[in-house]
Amino acid sequence: DNRPSPHSFPPPEVMPSLNPNALAEAQSSSEMFDVMCPPTAGFDVYKDRPVPTGESKTRGVVHQLKIWHRSVHVWLVDPARSLVALQKRSPNKDTFPGRWDISAAGHIESGDESRPTAVRELAEELGVICAEGDLDFLGTVPAEQADLGGCNCFEDVYVLRCDSESIAFAVGEAEVSAVAWMPVGELGERLAANDPTVVPRTQAYRDAFFRHLRDAHGCAW
């Protein structure tokens, strides 16, 4: 295997676990999620939003039956160095265990909102605290990935600018096993090549995400 390994920060074996916000388990099958209508043809990532059906179902049922629901993605980005932070998912996760993924992510539970969920997931998974207003909202991407090892989800994508040399992580070990900084260009190449060590992203997601990093945050690769 000649693929380069992500540069761990710090190395996984010395990753501290001093996160008071961390969860005790990787996930709970009894979590309740609001059910969404499937995306319409031509769904606009920047303008369209998911439409709720009025029903709520447990995480276990939603994933088993491939029902559409909602999640948040928070990417930590160092524009000055064109780096993004990736987390390595715990082997106990029920979707894409052990793969490198978004900096922090999670489902939006029934009755909850997107931005508060994003702030909470960042604190739980990486020990990074931010305000809702610090998050740059890119848009919402419908991703049909239930047959790829994931789930069918409307993904609200956020970017949080940071300094990779000064930010400190305290991972929630039930959900995350390591954190790494990776050059933006390398991430793009891995996703385009369907690297099996990285959680896949749809073409619409990749197009919108990398365009946003270039145009809104000045990343170069």
Side-chain angles (χ1 to χ4, degrees), residues 15-19 21-28 59 87-98 105 121 123-127 170-178:
M15 187 72 72
S17 57
L18 303 175
N19 185 346
N21 299 294
L23 300 182
E25 55 185 356
Q27 64 269 314
S28 170
R59 179 192 187 105
Q87 64 159 269
K88 190 172 187 181
R89 295 171 66 81
S90 161
N92 299 316
K93 295 297 289 184
D94 60 355
T95 58
F96 298 116
E121 293 294 339
E124 291 174 354
E125 295 183 359
L126 299 185
V171 301
E173 292 181 335
E175 300 185 273
V176 179
S177 58

Side-chain angles (χ1 to χ4, degrees), residues 5-158:
S5 298
H7 312 292
S8 296
F9 176 75
E13 62 271 19
V14 299
M15 187 72 72
S17 57
L18 303 175
N19 185 346
N21 299 294
L23 300 182
E25 55 185 356
Q27 64 269 314
S28 170
S29 61
S30 62
E31 291 175 293
M32 296 297 295
F33 300 151
D34 293 333
V35 174
M36 300 292 135
C37 297
T40 57
F43 187 96
D44 189 313
V45 168
Y46 304 105
K47 297 179 181 178
D48 292 340
R49 298 294 175 264
V51 178
T53 66
E55 293 183 287
S56 296
K57 296 185 182 297
T58 64
R59 179 192 187 105
V61 169
V62 161
H63 284 186
Q64 179 183 6
L65 300 182
K66 306 176 184 178
I67 295 171
W68 285 87
H69 51 296
R70 299 177 66 201
S71 68
V72 296
H73 292 182
V74 184
W75 291 92
L76 299 184
V77 177
D78 182 341
R81 301 175 181 86
S82 293
L83 297 173
V84 291
L86 303 183
Q87 64 159 269
K88 190 172 187 181
R89 295 171 66 81
S90 161
N92 299 316
K93 295 297 289 184
D94 60 355
T95 58
F96 298 116
R99 292 200 193 189
W100 292 96
D101 197 9
I102 308 138
S103 312
H107 291 86
I108 302 175
E109 296 186 30
S110 294
D112 208 345
E113 299 295 333
S114 179
R115 280 185 182 270
T117 299
V119 169
R120 184 173 61 251
E121 293 294 339
L122 196 56
E124 291 174 354
E125 295 183 359
L126 299 185
V128 174
I129 307 301
C130 75
E132 292 181 22
D134 295 334
L135 298 171
D136 171 31
F137 179 62
L138 186 161
T140 302
V141 183
E144 190 171 7
Q145 295 188 303
D147 293 331
L148 301 177
C151 55
N152 294 340
C153 221
F154 289 93
E155 300 164 340
D156 286 355
V157 184
Y158 296 92

Side-chain angles (χ1 to χ4, degrees), residues 139-213:
T140 302
V141 183
E144 190 171 7
Q145 295 188 303
D147 293 331
L148 301 177
C151 55
N152 294 340
C153 221
F154 289 93
E155 300 164 340
D156 286 355
V157 184
Y158 296 92
V159 171
L160 180 65
R161 296 167 66 101
C162 59
D163 181 347
S164 60
E165 294 189 353
S166 63
I167 192 170
F169 296 122
V171 301
E173 292 181 335
E175 300 185 273
V176 179
S177 58
V179 184
W181 287 101
M182 182 181 288
V184 172
E186 181 181 344
L187 176 61
E189 291 170 359
R190 287 183 177 227
L191 289 172
N194 294 315
D195 185 330
T197 68
V198 179
V199 175
R201 295 292 155 214
T202 66
Q203 186 68 54
Y205 191 114
R206 301 200 309 266
D207 289 347
F209 177 65
F210 289 108
R211 184 185 305 116
H212 189 72
L213 291 192

